[in-house]
Amino acid sequence: MSLAEHFEMPSTLESVVKRKEWELETPSGKTRVYEFVPDHPVSEVPVLLAPGFGGTETIYEESIIEFVRGNRRKIITIDHPKFGGRKLREEENTSASTELSRRKETLLSLISSLETRGIEKIDAITHSEGTINLTEAVEKNPSSFRNIVFFAPAGLVDRTNKETFRQSIAHLAHNFFRGIASQANTPRSEAEERRKKTAIREGTIYVFKNVIRSLEEIFGIAKTSLKRSLENIRKSSDRDGLDLKIIVTVPINDTVFPLEEMKETLRELVREGVINGIITIGKRGDSSMGHSAPYESKDCLACVGSLFGTLEEKGSPS
């Protein structure tokens, strides 16, 4: 039995987390959607988790359960397909690579499916590349979203528009391998070590399921700048009275997309009122709260999820 099928909740409500899943047909191929539902949710609005590169439901499962336990919110996530699908139409293939366009269209298919199930509004948490995929989906359909929290976001690096493609790939590769090196000697509990091994295994399977599509994905990440898309989302929100809120959370010790390499872009976005705030997470030198925290640390998503309550009460975090 999956860990998520029956998970005891330590509360007076004696709730359990129920796991559901269904098949979804998308322009990128068939895939699976997963729901984790508390018995007594505090909100009817679900939270969509947009996974990062190589991210599957399997690697996020324990963190998702802690999120549901800690926040009493339904969370929905998806495995991005690696095979099948159709050729994208010109108006669909608008991302920095075809594979990123496929992932955007997959999320748009999910949003459409949720609408047919009576879900009109969604909150969202993104991780890494998931920030690109979700932002591009929100740009196409902003009215479906309410509050969004980016974690360790891709697509906001200051120098992206100033570099050649080769330079962008080299920097991304350098940061990725620097992250692996910094994590190598980090003390971990037995559970954290197990989750890390699961992530490595699942990520390796993800890449080799379709190497060409994986490379397309990586190349697209390296060249994506989300500044204009975010500006368009803010314009749509203001024009249509959507009151859509976006918070960026950045692990201080993220070596893949370091805060130092995003400062200029983030300052502009805050100054222009495009995003509602920036929150840094972790302590200097504590590499456990880094880029991989949403699945290596089972408490990370639960902590980030608490921001939704702040957004609803105050409009933006202090």
Side-chain angles (χ1 to χ4, degrees):
M1 180 173 65
S2 168
L3 178 66
E5 288 177 356
H6 188 83
F7 195 97
E8 296 297 334
M9 299 264 290
S11 75
T12 56
L13 296 175
E14 297 184 352
S15 266
V16 295
V17 175
K18 296 177 181 177
R19 181 183 183 276
K20 306 174 184 178
E21 64 178 90
W22 74 86
E23 187 175 86
L24 180 67
E25 184 75 50
T26 81
S28 309
K30 291 182 180 179
T31 191
R32 306 295 294 177
V33 178
Y34 307 89
E35 281 189 32
F36 295 80
V37 187
D39 276 358
H40 303 274
V42 298
S43 173
E44 293 300 315
V45 178
V47 176
L48 170 62
L49 171 63
F53 178 82
T56 63
E57 178 266 347
T58 300
I59 71 170
Y60 289 104
E61 185 178 60
E62 290 185 49
S63 296
I64 288 172
I65 291 168
E66 287 302 312
F67 173 95
V68 176
R69 293 176 62 195
N71 296 281
R72 289 170 54 202
R73 296 283 303 275
K74 177 199 293 187
I75 196 164
I76 298 170
T77 193
I78 190 168
D79 286 345
H80 283 278
K82 298 290 285 183
F83 295 101
R86 57 171 172 77
K87 183 178 180 180
L88 296 183
R89 296 186 293 270
E90 184 178 349
E91 65 271 19
E92 295 172 327
N93 197 4
T94 56
S95 305
S97 73
T98 299
E99 187 60 20
L100 290 193
S101 293
R102 290 190 186 106
R103 287 172 68 100
K104 172 202 63 182
E105 292 298 320
T106 295
L107 291 182
L108 287 170
S109 296
L110 173 57
I111 294 163
S112 178
S113 175
L114 294 176
E115 288 174 350
T116 64
R117 294 166 182 262
I119 297 174
E120 297 180 355
K121 285 288 183 180
I122 305 167
D123 289 341
I125 297 176
T126 73
H127 177 216
S128 190
E129 180 198 351
T131 303
I132 297 174
N133 312 142
L134 187 93
T135 298
E136 294 181 338
V138 174
E139 187 177 14
K140 294 286 186 182
N141 190 357
S143 63
S144 292
F145 290 86
R146 194 177 65 159
N147 300 313
I148 302 172
V149 178
F150 296 160
F151 186 92
L156 297 175
V157 175
D158 298 333
R159 62 171 178 255
T160 300
N161 290 327
K162 305 171 185 176
E163 292 182 324
T164 64
F165 174 72
R166 182 175 294 181
Q167 287 172 324
S168 294
I169 285 291
H171 276 130
L172 181 61
H174 173 265
N175 286 355
F176 175 75
F177 288 111
R178 184 177 63 170
I180 292 176
S182 70
Q183 292 282 319
N185 298 316
T186 300
R188 288 186 175 83
S189 67
E190 184 177 332
E192 288 170 336
E193 189 63 32
R194 171 176 49 77
R195 286 191 290 273
K196 179 187 175 184
K197 289 179 179 178
T198 298
I200 292 172
R201 183 189 70 242
E202 289 292 308
T204 302
I205 293 170
Y206 177 91
V207 170
F208 285 101
K209 271 185 177 180
N210 194 322
V211 174
I212 293 175
R213 282 173 67 158
S214 296
L215 289 173
E216 280 186 7
E217 198 175 337
I218 294 168
F219 295 159
I221 294 169
K223 284 305 296 178
T224 296
S225 172
L226 292 175
K227 189 171 184 294
R228 181 172 295 180
S229 292
L230 289 168
E231 290 169 345
N232 290 338
I233 290 169
R234 181 55 58 203
K235 288 176 183 176
S236 297
S237 176
D238 293 345
R239 183 190 64 233
D240 300 333
L242 301 178
D243 194 28
L244 197 159
K245 301 181 182 70
I246 300 174
I247 298 298
V248 178
T249 56
V250 184
I252 288 178
N253 299 297
D254 188 348
T255 56
V256 180
F257 301 113
L259 176 60
E260 290 74 17
E261 297 183 7
M262 298 191 290
K263 282 183 176 178
E264 181 182 329
T265 300
L266 292 176
R267 283 172 181 159
E268 284 185 32
L269 292 173
V270 170
R271 186 171 61 247
E272 296 168 4
V274 174
I275 61 176
N276 297 82
I278 305 165
I279 294 175
T280 55
I281 297 176
K283 299 177 180 178
R284 293 285 180 188
D286 178 12
S287 57
S288 64
M289 186 56 73
H291 190 77
S292 304
Y295 49 79
E296 286 190 13
S297 170
K298 71 181 179 66
D299 299 321
C300 177
L301 286 182
C303 293
V304 173
S306 66
L307 290 171
F308 289 120
T310 304
L311 285 169
E312 291 179 32
E313 292 169 12
K314 299 181 180 179
S316 62
S318 57

